[in-house]
PDB file of all heavy atoms in Angstrom:
ATOM      1  N   GLY A  20      -7.280   1.003 -10.228  1.00 98.00           N
ATOM      2  CA  GLY A  20      -7.904   1.451 -11.453  1.00 98.00           C
ATOM      3  C   GLY A  20      -8.114   0.312 -12.417  1.00 98.00           C
ATOM      4  O   GLY A  20      -8.048  -0.863 -12.047  1.00 98.00           O
ATOM      5  N   LEU A  21      -8.373   0.666 -13.662  1.00 98.00           N
ATOM      6  CA  LEU A  21      -8.608  -0.297 -14.735  1.00 98.00           C
ATOM      7  C   LEU A  21      -7.357  -0.417 -15.584  1.00 98.00           C
ATOM      8  O   LEU A  21      -6.790   0.592 -16.021  1.00 98.00           O
ATOM      9  CB  LEU A  21      -9.794   0.148 -15.589  1.00 98.00           C
ATOM     10  CG  LEU A  21     -10.109  -0.685 -16.824  1.00 98.00           C
ATOM     11  CD1 LEU A  21     -10.517  -2.098 -16.433  1.00 98.00           C
ATOM     12  CD2 LEU A  21     -11.197  -0.019 -17.648  1.00 98.00           C
ATOM     13  N   VAL A  22      -6.937  -1.648 -15.824  1.00 98.00           N
ATOM     14  CA  VAL A  22      -5.746  -1.898 -16.623  1.00 98.00           C
ATOM     15  C   VAL A  22      -5.977  -3.149 -17.468  1.00 98.00           C
ATOM     16  O   VAL A  22      -6.719  -4.053 -17.072  1.00 98.00           O
ATOM     17  CB  VAL A  22      -4.504  -2.053 -15.729  1.00 98.00           C
ATOM     18  CG1 VAL A  22      -4.617  -3.287 -14.845  1.00 98.00           C
ATOM     19  CG2 VAL A  22      -3.228  -2.087 -16.550  1.00 98.00           C
ATOM     20  N   GLN A  23      -5.362  -3.188 -18.637  1.00 98.00           N
ATOM     21  CA  GLN A  23      -5.464  -4.362 -19.489  1.00 98.00           C
ATOM     22  C   GLN A  23      -4.519  -5.455 -19.018  1.00 98.00           C
ATOM     23  O   GLN A  23      -3.498  -5.189 -18.376  1.00 98.00           O
ATOM     24  CB  GLN A  23      -5.144  -4.003 -20.941  1.00 98.00           C
ATOM     25  CG  GLN A  23      -6.179  -3.119 -21.601  1.00 98.00           C
ATOM     26  CD  GLN A  23      -5.913  -2.907 -23.080  1.00 98.00           C
ATOM     27  OE1 GLN A  23      -4.953  -3.434 -23.640  1.00 98.00           O
ATOM     28  NE2 GLN A  23      -6.772  -2.148 -23.718  1.00 98.00           N
ATOM     29  N   ALA A  24      -4.877  -6.696 -19.325  1.00 98.00           N
ATOM     30  CA  ALA A  24      -4.012  -7.821 -18.993  1.00 98.00           C
ATOM     31  C   ALA A  24      -2.615  -7.598 -19.551  1.00 98.00           C
ATOM     32  O   ALA A  24      -2.451  -7.151 -20.690  1.00 98.00           O
ATOM     33  CB  ALA A  24      -4.600  -9.123 -19.523  1.00 98.00           C
ATOM     34  N   GLY A  25      -1.620  -7.913 -18.731  1.00 98.00           N
ATOM     35  CA  GLY A  25      -0.237  -7.689 -19.106  1.00 98.00           C
ATOM     36  C   GLY A  25       0.308  -6.350 -18.670  1.00 98.00           C
ATOM     37  O   GLY A  25       1.529  -6.136 -18.726  1.00 98.00           O
ATOM     38  N   GLY A  26      -0.562  -5.465 -18.217  1.00 98.00           N
ATOM     39  CA  GLY A  26      -0.144  -4.148 -17.785  1.00 98.00           C
ATOM     40  C   GLY A  26       0.322  -4.120 -16.349  1.00 98.00           C
ATOM     41  O   GLY A  26       0.418  -5.161 -15.683  1.00 98.00           O
ATOM     42  N   SER A  27       0.586  -2.904 -15.857  1.00 98.00           N
ATOM     43  CA  SER A  27       1.132  -2.720 -14.521  1.00 98.00           C
ATOM     44  C   SER A  27       0.386  -1.634 -13.771  1.00 98.00           C
ATOM     45  O   SER A  27      -0.169  -0.700 -14.368  1.00 98.00           O
ATOM     46  CB  SER A  27       2.618  -2.336 -14.590  1.00 98.00           C
ATOM     47  OG  SER A  27       3.388  -3.341 -15.206  1.00 98.00           O
ATOM     48  N   LEU A  28       0.372  -1.755 -12.456  1.00 98.00           N
ATOM     49  CA  LEU A  28      -0.143  -0.744 -11.549  1.00 98.00           C
ATOM     50  C   LEU A  28       0.736  -0.726 -10.311  1.00 98.00           C
ATOM     51  O   LEU A  28       1.321  -1.750  -9.942  1.00 98.00           O
ATOM     52  CB  LEU A  28      -1.581  -1.021 -11.129  1.00 98.00           C
ATOM     53  CG  LEU A  28      -2.712  -0.713 -12.100  1.00 98.00           C
ATOM     54  CD1 LEU A  28      -4.037  -1.198 -11.511  1.00 98.00           C
ATOM     55  CD2 LEU A  28      -2.794   0.771 -12.398  1.00 98.00           C
ATOM     56  N   LYS A  29       0.800   0.436  -9.665  1.00 98.00           N
ATOM     57  CA  LYS A  29       1.505   0.555  -8.397  1.00 98.00           C
ATOM     58  C   LYS A  29       0.547   1.123  -7.356  1.00 98.00           C
ATOM     59  O   LYS A  29       0.043   2.230  -7.515  1.00 98.00           O
ATOM     60  CB  LYS A  29       2.735   1.451  -8.524  1.00 98.00           C
ATOM     61  CG  LYS A  29       3.605   1.458  -7.267  1.00 98.00           C
ATOM     62  CD  LYS A  29       4.890   2.249  -7.472  1.00 98.00           C
ATOM     63  CE  LYS A  29       5.785   2.182  -6.250  1.00 98.00           C
ATOM     64  NZ  LYS A  29       7.067   2.919  -6.471  1.00 98.00           N
ATOM     65  N   LEU A  30       0.309   0.356  -6.305  1.00 98.00           N
ATOM     66  CA  LEU A  30      -0.550   0.766  -5.217  1.00 98.00           C
ATOM     67  C   LEU A  30       0.275   1.384  -4.099  1.00 98.00           C
ATOM     68  O   LEU A  30       1.420   0.986  -3.863  1.00 98.00           O
ATOM     69  CB  LEU A  30      -1.333  -0.419  -4.659  1.00 98.00           C
ATOM     70  CG  LEU A  30      -2.140  -1.259  -5.652  1.00 98.00           C
ATOM     71  CD1 LEU A  30      -2.896  -2.351  -4.910  1.00 98.00           C
ATOM     72  CD2 LEU A  30      -3.086  -0.389  -6.462  1.00 98.00           C
ATOM     73  N   SER A  31      -0.326   2.344  -3.407  1.00 98.00           N
ATOM     74  CA  SER A  31       0.308   2.981  -2.262  1.00 98.00           C
ATOM     75  C   SER A  31      -0.594   2.864  -1.047  1.00 98.00           C
ATOM     76  O   SER A  31      -1.822   2.886  -1.163  1.00 98.00           O
ATOM     77  CB  SER A  31       0.590   4.462  -2.537  1.00 98.00           C
ATOM     78  OG  SER A  31       1.471   4.634  -3.623  1.00 98.00           O
ATOM     79  N   CYS A  32       0.015   2.749   0.118  1.00 98.00           N
ATOM     80  CA  CYS A  32      -0.703   2.725   1.385  1.00 98.00           C
ATOM     81  C   CYS A  32       0.000   3.683   2.330  1.00 98.00           C
ATOM     82  O   CYS A  32       1.134   3.420   2.754  1.00 98.00           O
ATOM     83  CB  CYS A  32      -0.729   1.318   1.974  1.00 98.00           C
ATOM     84  SG  CYS A  32      -1.408   1.243   3.649  1.00 98.00           S
ATOM     85  N   ALA A  33      -0.662   4.776   2.659  1.00 97.00           N
ATOM     86  CA  ALA A  33      -0.100   5.792   3.530  1.00 97.00           C
ATOM     87  C   ALA A  33      -0.690   5.663   4.928  1.00 97.00           C
ATOM     88  O   ALA A  33      -1.910   5.678   5.097  1.00 97.00           O
ATOM     89  CB  ALA A  33      -0.364   7.182   2.971  1.00 97.00           C
ATOM     90  N   ALA A  34       0.173   5.542   5.921  1.00 96.00           N
ATOM     91  CA  ALA A  34      -0.241   5.473   7.317  1.00 96.00           C
ATOM     92  C   ALA A  34      -0.113   6.833   7.966  1.00 96.00           C
ATOM     93  O   ALA A  34       0.890   7.525   7.786  1.00 96.00           O
ATOM     94  CB  ALA A  34       0.603   4.453   8.076  1.00 96.00           C
ATOM     95  N   SER A  35      -1.131   7.213   8.717  1.00 95.00           N
ATOM     96  CA  SER A  35      -1.105   8.490   9.416  1.00 95.00           C
ATOM     97  C   SER A  35      -1.617   8.314  10.838  1.00 95.00           C
ATOM     98  O   SER A  35      -2.227   7.299  11.179  1.00 95.00           O
ATOM     99  CB  SER A  35      -1.928   9.544   8.682  1.00 95.00           C
ATOM    100  OG  SER A  35      -3.297   9.165   8.612  1.00 95.00           O
ATOM    101  N   GLY A  36      -1.378   9.305  11.662  1.00 93.00           N
ATOM    102  CA  GLY A  36      -1.738   9.267  13.059  1.00 93.00           C
ATOM    103  C   GLY A  36      -0.522   9.599  13.895  1.00 93.00           C
ATOM    104  O   GLY A  36       0.464  10.143  13.398  1.00 93.00           O
ATOM    105  N   SER A  37      -0.593   9.267  15.164  1.00 93.00           N
ATOM    106  CA  SER A  37       0.517   9.546  16.057  1.00 93.00           C
ATOM    107  C   SER A  37       0.565   8.516  17.168  1.00 93.00           C
ATOM    108  O   SER A  37      -0.413   7.818  17.439  1.00 93.00           O
ATOM    109  CB  SER A  37       0.392  10.958  16.654  1.00 93.00           C
ATOM    110  OG  SER A  37      -0.796  11.084  17.422  1.00 93.00           O
ATOM    111  N   GLY A  38       1.719   8.419  17.791  1.00 94.00           N
ATOM    112  CA  GLY A  38       1.877   7.546  18.936  1.00 94.00           C
ATOM    113  C   GLY A  38       1.921   6.067  18.601  1.00 94.00           C
ATOM    114  O   GLY A  38       1.432   5.250  19.380  1.00 94.00           O
ATOM    115  N   PHE A  39       2.502   5.713  17.457  1.00 93.00           N
ATOM    116  CA  PHE A  39       2.578   4.310  17.074  1.00 93.00           C
ATOM    117  C   PHE A  39       3.881   4.007  16.366  1.00 93.00           C
ATOM    118  O   PHE A  39       4.522   4.902  15.808  1.00 93.00           O
ATOM    119  CB  PHE A  39       1.399   3.929  16.163  1.00 93.00           C
ATOM    120  CG  PHE A  39       1.413   4.624  14.834  1.00 93.00           C
ATOM    121  CD1 PHE A  39       2.069   4.065  13.750  1.00 93.00           C
ATOM    122  CD2 PHE A  39       0.770   5.837  14.657  1.00 93.00           C
ATOM    123  CE1 PHE A  39       2.091   4.695  12.514  1.00 93.00           C
ATOM    124  CE2 PHE A  39       0.779   6.486  13.438  1.00 93.00           C
ATOM    125  CZ  PHE A  39       1.448   5.913  12.364  1.00 93.00           C
ATOM    126  N   ASN A  40       4.253   2.736  16.395  1.00 94.00           N
ATOM    127  CA  ASN A  40       5.368   2.211  15.623  1.00 94.00           C
ATOM    128  C   ASN A  40       4.860   1.021  14.827  1.00 94.00           C
ATOM    129  O   ASN A  40       4.408   0.032  15.406  1.00 94.00           O
ATOM    130  CB  ASN A  40       6.522   1.775  16.522  1.00 94.00           C
ATOM    131  CG  ASN A  40       7.293   2.940  17.105  1.00 94.00           C
ATOM    132  OD1 ASN A  40       7.492   3.954  16.451  1.00 94.00           O
ATOM    133  ND2 ASN A  40       7.735   2.789  18.344  1.00 94.00           N
ATOM    134  N   ILE A  41       4.922   1.121  13.517  1.00 94.00           N
ATOM    135  CA  ILE A  41       4.469   0.038  12.657  1.00 94.00           C
ATOM    136  C   ILE A  41       5.541  -1.036  12.556  1.00 94.00           C
ATOM    137  O   ILE A  41       6.714  -0.736  12.340  1.00 94.00           O
ATOM    138  CB  ILE A  41       4.097   0.566  11.265  1.00 94.00           C
ATOM    139  CG1 ILE A  41       2.871   1.466  11.357  1.00 94.00           C
ATOM    140  CG2 ILE A  41       3.841  -0.591  10.301  1.00 94.00           C
ATOM    141  CD1 ILE A  41       2.458   2.084  10.046  1.00 94.00           C
ATOM    142  N   HIS A  42       5.122  -2.285  12.714  1.00 94.00           N
ATOM    143  CA  HIS A  42       6.032  -3.413  12.557  1.00 94.00           C
ATOM    144  C   HIS A  42       5.918  -4.001  11.158  1.00 94.00           C
ATOM    145  O   HIS A  42       6.800  -3.821  10.332  1.00 94.00           O
ATOM    146  CB  HIS A  42       5.749  -4.464  13.628  1.00 94.00           C
ATOM    147  CG  HIS A  42       6.214  -4.050  14.987  1.00 94.00           C
ATOM    148  ND1 HIS A  42       6.249  -4.924  16.051  1.00 94.00           N
ATOM    149  CD2 HIS A  42       6.674  -2.869  15.460  1.00 94.00           C
ATOM    150  CE1 HIS A  42       6.712  -4.286  17.116  1.00 94.00           C
ATOM    151  NE2 HIS A  42       6.968  -3.038  16.789  1.00 94.00           N
ATOM    152  N   ALA A  43       4.820  -4.690  10.874  1.00 95.00           N
ATOM    153  CA  ALA A  43       4.629  -5.306   9.571  1.00 95.00           C
ATOM    154  C   ALA A  43       3.577  -4.563   8.770  1.00 95.00           C
ATOM    155  O   ALA A  43       2.636  -3.993   9.326  1.00 95.00           O
ATOM    156  CB  ALA A  43       4.218  -6.768   9.717  1.00 95.00           C
ATOM    157  N   MET A  44       3.731  -4.558   7.455  1.00 96.00           N
ATOM    158  CA  MET A  44       2.717  -4.030   6.557  1.00 96.00           C
ATOM    159  C   MET A  44       2.433  -5.089   5.506  1.00 96.00           C
ATOM    160  O   MET A  44       3.344  -5.754   5.027  1.00 96.00           O
ATOM    161  CB  MET A  44       3.150  -2.717   5.912  1.00 96.00           C
ATOM    162  CG  MET A  44       3.389  -1.606   6.920  1.00 96.00           C
ATOM    163  SD  MET A  44       3.548   0.049   6.195  1.00 96.00           S
ATOM    164  CE  MET A  44       1.835   0.422   5.802  1.00 96.00           C
ATOM    165  N   ASN A  45       1.156  -5.224   5.183  1.00 98.00           N
ATOM    166  CA  ASN A  45       0.713  -6.285   4.284  1.00 98.00           C
ATOM    167  C   ASN A  45      -0.305  -5.752   3.297  1.00 98.00           C
ATOM    168  O   ASN A  45      -1.008  -4.777   3.563  1.00 98.00           O
ATOM    169  CB  ASN A  45       0.064  -7.437   5.064  1.00 98.00           C
ATOM    170  CG  ASN A  45       0.930  -7.957   6.184  1.00 98.00           C
ATOM    171  OD1 ASN A  45       1.946  -8.603   5.943  1.00 98.00           O
ATOM    172  ND2 ASN A  45       0.538  -7.674   7.426  1.00 98.00           N
ATOM    173  N   TRP A  46      -0.373  -6.420   2.157  1.00 98.00           N
ATOM    174  CA  TRP A  46      -1.439  -6.206   1.189  1.00 98.00           C
ATOM    175  C   TRP A  46      -2.287  -7.466   1.104  1.00 98.00           C
ATOM    176  O   TRP A  46      -1.758  -8.562   0.908  1.00 98.00           O
ATOM    177  CB  TRP A  46      -0.886  -5.873  -0.195  1.00 98.00           C
ATOM    178  CG  TRP A  46      -0.349  -4.487  -0.313  1.00 98.00           C
ATOM    179  CD1 TRP A  46       0.943  -4.093  -0.222  1.00 98.00           C
ATOM    180  CD2 TRP A  46      -1.119  -3.304  -0.570  1.00 98.00           C
ATOM    181  NE1 TRP A  46       1.047  -2.736  -0.399  1.00 98.00           N
ATOM    182  CE2 TRP A  46      -0.209  -2.227  -0.615  1.00 98.00           C
ATOM    183  CE3 TRP A  46      -2.481  -3.048  -0.770  1.00 98.00           C
ATOM    184  CZ2 TRP A  46      -0.617  -0.911  -0.845  1.00 98.00           C
ATOM    185  CZ3 TRP A  46      -2.882  -1.743  -0.996  1.00 98.00           C
ATOM    186  CH2 TRP A  46      -1.960  -0.696  -1.031  1.00 98.00           C
TER     187      TRP A  46
END
């Protein structure tokens, strides 16, 4: 979203599906 300098945001990444094992996650 839009935020002013000095502010904060929290991003989320949701993984879905089946038959997998996640090792590393990156932004």
Side-chain angles (χ1 to χ4, degrees):
L21 175 64
V22 65
Q23 291 186 1
S27 299
L28 283 175
K29 188 174 183 178
L30 307 182
S31 299
C32 172
S35 62
S37 61
F39 65 90
N40 286 323
I41 293 178
H42 287 190
M44 298 193 76
N45 308 289
W46 285 98

